Amino acid sequence: MRLRIRRDRRAATALAIGIALAVAAPLTAGASQPTHRPAAADLEAVGQYEIQGTSAPAERSAIAATGVSIDEVKQHTVVVSADRAQARELRALGHTLKPLPAPSPKLPASAAKAFDFPPTDAGYHNYAEITAEIDRQVAAHPEIMRKQVIGKSYEGRDIVAVKISDNAAADEDEPEVLLTHHQHAREHLTVEMALYLLREFGDDYGKDSRVTKAVKDREIWVLPDLNPDGGAYDIATGSYRSWRKNTQPNPGSAYRGTDMNRNWAHRWGCCDGSSVFPRDNTYRGARAESAPEVKVVADFVRGRVVGGEQQITAGIDFHTYSELVLWPYGFTTSDTAPGMTQDDRDAFAAVGRKMAASNGYKPMQSSDLYVTDGSIDDWLWGDQKVFGYTFEMYPTSNRDGGFYPPDEVIERETSRNRDAVLQLIESADCMYRSIGKEQQYCAD
Ligand code: 0X9
Ligand code: CA
Ligand code: CA
Ligand code: CA
Ligand code: ZN
């Protein structure tokens, strides 16, 4: 029912735009394809806006349901990324939108170097540099690191998993931990988080007792770059594009890209927590796992089922920004749901809160922010029974750079998560220890 109402509203907006632009747009009630063709000028005119006077999760979910991404949540305001048509739509819904400054152009466009960060942000790694850094770390620590190309992106770039464990070449019977990075193109700091972890585990193995134990007793999978095409596209012109999705084309639409974090196969598209419109920032794709990158990673995770048992027990999916530790479900605001018992939920919250106490982020169930469907952590738990968290890294606000904090903060903001990551790795043999139920759930 909600969906129907929403479609009708979108159809009405489409009609208005259609008339304004004298574009013939067939209106088919209930059609699952978008019914409007946006003006070319709107194609890339995505900017951030602050919306005043919102507070309740339901209000935020209603805003998210217009297909914009919600980038910041404060007590009485939210910040969204919206294109011009969406900004009009939100204003028509009665919201007041204040445009926020775009990421500052750090260069004259003429000096831009294709597919690289601006010189002032040279500390960030582009795709070629990511690959080189991974290869360098693996070559320096061959006994504890193995690189595996698990598949290709839409444009044919490698999607890489680095396994960190003693006897890395063998599949030992140890709890496995999944660390995924960069589903969203503009969230470049998450790749730096992965490279920090490779460096840290490489350098501190045999020196730091916690790191040494983690490497010995666990198998840690670091997937540094789930969306290499989107990342390259975001920096391709030398000035940041605020791109979020992957870059695969959408048949019948001028708009590219699927929001990978709405494309996972648990309750995909169930709950108005994603968009059916290819133009939107939260477009869920034509079907679950229609994004090749999502399929590659989901297949990899399914491949970790050995002897009928999923070896991966816990994970973190890194995003920016807002400084949050989030746990599922995102598709419902209920604490518990089919497949999520009170004990499951309590263990999620106990470990999540402890990690948040260490990095200073705010812990909460992801739907307390806004409802999402098809997110990775819903799938990891709902489908694979993996304790999957989402971290939203630095900063908390557009003022501190939003999606593009200066490279000077990389070291501080990645090392900030060192302890939290180690905590999760240490908890991964029995997440229920956090609620004193080790006996009940983890006996032998
Ligand atoms: O909306 C998202 O995908 C994540 N926020 S972001 O600003 N990085 O886009 C948050 C996802 C939270 N929901 C779940 N984890 N289910
Ligand atoms: Ca700099
Ligand atoms: Ca091992
Ligand atoms: Ca194993
Ligand atoms: Zn994100």
Side-chain angles (χ1 to χ4, degrees):
M1 205 54 210
R2 260 181 97 190
L3 196 58
R4 169 60 62 81
I5 289 165
R6 190 179 153 228
R7 276 188 184 143
D8 290 346
R9 181 174 56 66
R10 291 299 295 237
T13 307
L15 181 59
I17 295 167
I19 289 167
L21 302 173
V23 168
L27 290 176
T28 318
S32 63
Q33 284 304 304
T35 52
H36 56 276
R37 223 166 223 294
D42 278 342
L43 264 166
E44 292 192 7
V46 172
Q48 281 189 313
Y49 299 86
E50 187 178 81
I51 304 179
Q52 297 282 346
T54 61
S55 50
E59 253 178 295
R60 291 194 290 268
S61 294
I63 290 171
T66 67
V68 301
S69 67
I70 296 196
D71 306 336
E72 283 179 39
V73 170
K74 298 279 155 56
Q75 205 174 354
H76 298 295
T77 62
V78 302
V79 171
V80 301
S81 293
D83 62 26
R84 290 193 189 114
Q86 290 167 331
R88 278 195 295 274
E89 187 180 345
L90 286 165
R91 286 184 173 120
L93 286 172
H95 294 294
T96 305
L97 273 62
K98 185 180 117 196
L100 294 178
S104 49
K106 305 203 176 186
L107 266 187
S110 57
K113 202 165 122 214
F115 294 100
D116 202 4
F117 288 90
T120 50
D121 278 340
Y124 284 93
H125 293 70
N126 63 27
Y127 182 73
E129 293 164 345
I130 295 165
T131 307
E133 175 64 11
I134 292 169
D135 291 349
R136 198 174 72 83
Q137 289 296 346
V138 172
H141 309 282
E143 69 293 347
I144 61 161
M145 282 187 205
R146 305 266 298 189
K147 172 179 160 178
Q148 209 174 307
V149 176
I150 60 172
K152 299 271 189 195
S153 67
Y154 176 80
E155 294 178 28
R157 293 184 176 86
D158 286 349
I159 298 179
V160 166
V162 179
K163 179 181 170 187
I164 307 177
S165 190
D166 67 333
N167 309 311
D171 185 2
E172 300 190 294
D173 188 11
E174 296 167 337
E176 301 186 15
V177 173
L178 179 72
L179 303 170
T180 50
H181 305 253
H182 205 205
Q183 281 202 78
H184 289 142
R186 60 192 170 186
E187 300 171 9
H188 304 282
L189 185 61
T190 65
V191 175
E192 304 305 321
M193 184 70 224
L195 300 179
Y196 164 82
L197 290 172
L198 296 187
R199 180 157 47 88
E200 197 61 22
F201 280 106
D203 289 352
D204 282 8
Y205 177 66
K207 301 199 179 86
D208 174 282
S209 63
R210 265 180 105 187
V211 167
T212 305
K213 198 165 160 43
V215 172
K216 282 200 152 90
D217 297 348
R218 303 285 183 266
E219 296 186 312
I220 304 158
W221 296 100
V222 181
L223 279 57
D225 192 354
L226 266 50
N227 183 8
D229 300 351
Y233 179 77
D234 190 54
I235 62 173
T237 63
S239 74
Y240 298 128
R241 274 172 153 147
S242 297
W243 190 251
R244 170 177 170 96
K245 301 185 280 183
N246 72 357
T247 66
Q248 78 188 111
N250 295 305
S253 170
Y255 290 100
R256 283 178 176 255
T258 294
D259 183 348
M260 292 169 54
N261 208 27
R262 299 294 182 276
N263 192 239
W264 297 82
H266 184 73
R267 307 294 310 270
W268 176 80
C270 69
C271 302
D272 224 2
S274 57
S275 172
V276 296
F277 298 102
R279 65 175 300 156
D280 286 341
N281 244 339
T282 55
Y283 177 52
R284 67 173 70 127
R287 60 190 178 278
E289 297 182 12
S290 56
E293 300 84 358
V294 170
K295 174 84 162 62
V296 163
V297 177
D299 283 344
F300 169 77
V301 171
R302 284 185 284 259
R304 297 315 306 147
V305 175
V306 177
E309 198 186 339
Q310 176 55 259
Q311 301 298 298
I312 300 169
T313 59
I316 301 170
D317 186 45
F318 287 91
H319 289 254
T320 68
Y321 59 91
S322 282
E323 302 185 8
L324 303 168
V325 171
L326 304 173
W327 57 83
Y329 285 125
F331 77 83
T332 174
T333 53
S334 303
D335 286 5
T336 59
M340 174 81 77
T341 67
Q342 191 65 45
D343 282 351
D344 299 335
R345 189 263 171 204
D346 290 347
F348 258 117
V351 174
R353 288 186 179 124
K354 205 160 163 237
M355 291 193 289
S358 122
N359 61 13
Y361 292 2
K362 237 170 95 179
M364 65 182 85
Q365 185 178 339
S366 60
S367 55
D368 292 346
L369 219 50
Y370 48 89
V371 168
T372 60
D373 46 47
S375 286
I376 186 172
D377 41 16
D378 281 18
W379 179 77
L380 282 173
W381 181 257
D383 208 72
Q384 299 290 317
K385 285 292 172 285
V386 172
F387 279 88
Y389 292 85
T390 296
F391 277 21
E392 297 277 0
M393 296 176 68
Y394 179 87
T396 56
S397 130
N398 170 286
R399 281 194 320 278
D400 293 318
F403 293 108
Y404 302 100
D407 61 359
E408 283 79 5
V409 309
I410 291 174
E411 183 58 27
R412 185 188 75 209
E413 294 301 329
T414 53
S415 60
R416 181 177 179 178
N417 286 316
R418 183 184 195 272
D419 182 71
V421 170
L422 283 169
Q423 280 187 32
L424 188 72
I425 291 169
E426 289 161 356
S427 304
D429 61 321
C430 183
M431 292 292 284
Y432 298 94
R433 191 184 308 122
S434 64
I435 55 167
K437 298 203 175 181
E438 195 173 4
Q439 284 299 321
Q440 185 180 339
Y441 289 100
C442 312
D444 73 84

